[in-house]
Amino acid sequence: MPAKSDDHGKPTMKSLLIVTTVIEAGAGLAFVISPSVSVSILVGSPLDTPAASTVGRVAGAALLSLAIACWAAHGDGRSRAARGLVAALLWYNAAVAGILAYARIGSGLIGPAIWPAVALHADVVPVVLNLG
């Protein structure tokens, strides 16, 4: 889903927040509904204990919260709250890209979605830095 851009070709904050809403809501629902399957697709290893599944569901709830915050802010992209949310998105996407890249390279985890997830999160960082 390409981000909409302004007249100068820069992505808009509104489009970033809408795209983030859709992606994180989908991922959040997947983790809440079926954390073991979601984690297995992501990193190639299922969650084997009730405690691990609980943590997976908590992660899903956090992603849904992020999606809700992005949706709530998408109509007022120039507010201080929206700018703070985008700053948090910058950190979140950089951190997730790094953590997942390390999971693959450093820990040897190999799920079918790990590199696409790294690429998706890493691609958001320059978009955030280039917002118009």
Side-chain angles (χ1 to χ4, degrees):
M1 193 180 310
K4 189 175 180 180
S5 46
D6 67 9
D7 294 337
H8 304 297
K10 289 184 175 185
T12 64
M13 192 174 303
K14 181 176 183 173
S15 63
L16 171 70
L17 293 172
I18 291 171
V19 169
T20 300
T21 297
V22 172
I23 292 170
E24 300 304 345
L29 283 172
F31 276 85
V32 167
I33 293 167
S34 187
S36 188
V37 171
S38 300
V39 169
S40 185
I41 291 168
L42 184 61
V43 297
S45 181
L47 301 174
D48 294 333
T49 67
S53 291
T54 299
V55 171
R57 284 191 169 95
V58 169
L63 292 175
L64 286 169
S65 297
L66 179 61
I68 291 166
C70 288
W71 183 253
H74 87 278
D76 190 16
R78 295 297 172 197
S79 70
R80 288 182 66 194
R83 289 194 311 266
L85 178 59
V86 170
L89 285 174
L90 176 63
W91 162 250
Y92 164 73
N93 282 290
V96 170
I99 290 166
L100 291 176
Y102 178 79
R104 175 60 189 105
I105 296 166
S107 299
L109 297 176
I110 183 163
I114 199 164
W115 284 126
V118 169
L120 177 68
H121 286 282
D123 284 349
V124 172
V125 171
V127 169
V128 170
L129 294 173
N130 193 40
L131 280 175

